[in-house]
Amino acid sequence: MTLTSPKRRGADSFTIRSDGWTVEKMTSTFSLDLRPLKEPLGFIRLLEWVFAIFAFASTSSYSGTTSFNVQCQKTEPVHEINITFQYPFKLSEKSYHVPTCKVNASGETKEYQLIGNYSSSAEFFVAVGVLAFLYCTATLVLYLGYQHLYRESNRGPIIDLLITGIFTFLWLVSSSAWGKGLTDVKHNTSPTSLVYIADVCKDQHNNCTAGALPALGPLNSSVIAGFLNLILWVGNCWFIFKETPFHKSSVPSATQQEGRQP
């Protein structure tokens, strides 16, 4: 029986030979190397990780308030109606009460609901962001700790390119859908729209005014982050493609170029 000494090449290995038979065992080891972050492949993946967090966090944590004011008969005290809405933007489930302003019916109110349900586009956008964050985390660990395994096999870059292409498409669809959904959310939570809907505001004897606009800055930023993610993932497809055998086989080697020279 012959026992050879271990060899180090990003992994621990040993070979045992007995009667012509060979048994080889390899145990992958984690080896932290920050150099890939200086390359486009790793740096863009880090940016994708950051913007994915920003995209889903700014959407899923949002809560806003819209309001308008009603003054019955233009002489009574002003009633301020506040409506709070939040992710996942099922606006039709948000109710609020508006005074009827009927004579001899002080304190009587009528119930209204906000219009629209935009949970599907919002939840889809957040889901894509969370999945992209998890995939970026996994690939960053692979790039920084198991770079030798990623580059030694053609399978790693090919799978990475395929999944990155899928996420590129998902960012395009989800960002476009959520951008349209956000436009509708803005319209249906606008104080001006709420004043137009209320029946009491159609009576010229009452005075209705729009209140403060809801702070929609975080939601606007989430849509921008979604399209920035789209740009980053499209660009990263090229750098991952350069790691695949498809690109390497299309680039002539130095010896082939020398052979073509007269």
Side-chain angles (χ1 to χ4, degrees):
M1 177 181 295
T2 302
L3 177 64
T4 62
S5 59
K7 298 179 180 179
R8 296 290 297 178
R9 189 185 175 186
D12 295 329
S13 63
F14 65 87
T15 303
I16 301 175
R17 296 181 179 177
S18 177
D19 299 330
W21 291 91
T22 301
V23 179
E24 184 173 351
K25 179 180 179 181
M26 299 186 67
T27 306
S28 301
T29 58
F30 179 85
S31 178
L32 181 62
D33 184 4
L34 299 180
R35 285 178 298 178
L37 293 179
K38 299 179 181 179
E39 302 175 1
L41 182 66
F43 181 70
I44 294 178
R45 186 66 83 196
L46 180 61
L47 291 179
E48 292 171 349
W49 184 79
V50 173
F51 280 100
I53 295 175
F54 185 80
F56 76 78
S58 58
T59 305
S60 61
S61 63
Y62 179 81
S63 178
T65 301
T66 184
S67 65
F68 66 100
N69 305 312
V70 177
Q71 186 180 28
C72 298
Q73 309 303 323
K74 297 183 180 181
T75 57
E76 297 185 10
V78 176
H79 299 273
E80 184 179 11
I81 293 90
N82 296 300
I83 309 104
T84 301
F85 60 98
Q86 61 276 329
Y87 175 83
F89 306 103
K90 296 181 179 180
L91 301 184
S92 57
E93 297 181 359
K94 299 296 179 181
S95 61
Y96 58 97
H97 294 81
V98 180
T100 59
C101 293
K102 293 181 179 179
V103 180
N104 300 325
S106 178
E108 182 179 342
T109 60
K110 182 179 179 180
E111 184 178 14
Y112 290 85
Q113 283 83 29
L114 294 177
I115 300 174
N117 184 347
Y118 308 100
S119 59
S120 58
S121 58
E123 290 175 342
F124 179 49
F125 181 78
V126 170
V128 171
V130 171
L131 291 175
F133 161 74
L134 294 176
Y135 182 69
C136 288
T137 302
T139 50
L140 283 174
V141 172
L142 179 63
Y143 293 167
L144 303 181
Y146 300 95
Q147 184 67 207
H148 55 283
L149 296 179
Y150 181 80
R151 295 187 183 275
E152 285 178 359
S153 172
N154 293 329
R155 183 181 302 176
I158 292 176
I159 295 176
D160 193 13
L161 177 62
L162 177 62
I163 298 178
T164 301
I166 293 174
F167 270 109
T168 301
F169 176 74
L170 290 177
W171 276 119
L172 172 63
V173 175
S174 63
S175 299
S176 301
W178 173 227
K180 175 60 170 62
L182 178 58
T183 301
D184 295 335
V185 169
K186 290 179 180 180
H187 178 266
N188 292 330
T189 59
S190 169
T192 304
S193 298
L194 299 178
V195 169
Y196 180 79
I197 294 173
D199 294 334
V200 67
C201 297
K202 299 175 182 179
D203 190 340
Q204 297 181 354
H205 296 90
N206 304 318
N207 184 29
C208 297
T209 57
L213 290 169
L216 297 171
L219 296 183
N220 292 328
S221 300
S222 70
V223 175
I224 294 174
F227 284 104
L228 285 176
N229 270 295
L230 171 62
I231 296 173
L232 288 172
W233 287 78
V234 167
N236 208 16
C237 283
W238 165 247
F239 294 104
I240 298 174
F241 175 73
K242 293 174 66 176
E243 299 293 331
T244 64
F246 308 120
H247 177 265
K248 295 177 182 178
S249 61
S250 63
V251 178
S253 61
T255 56
Q256 291 177 336
Q257 291 178 350
E258 292 176 358
R260 294 175 182 174
Q261 294 177 356

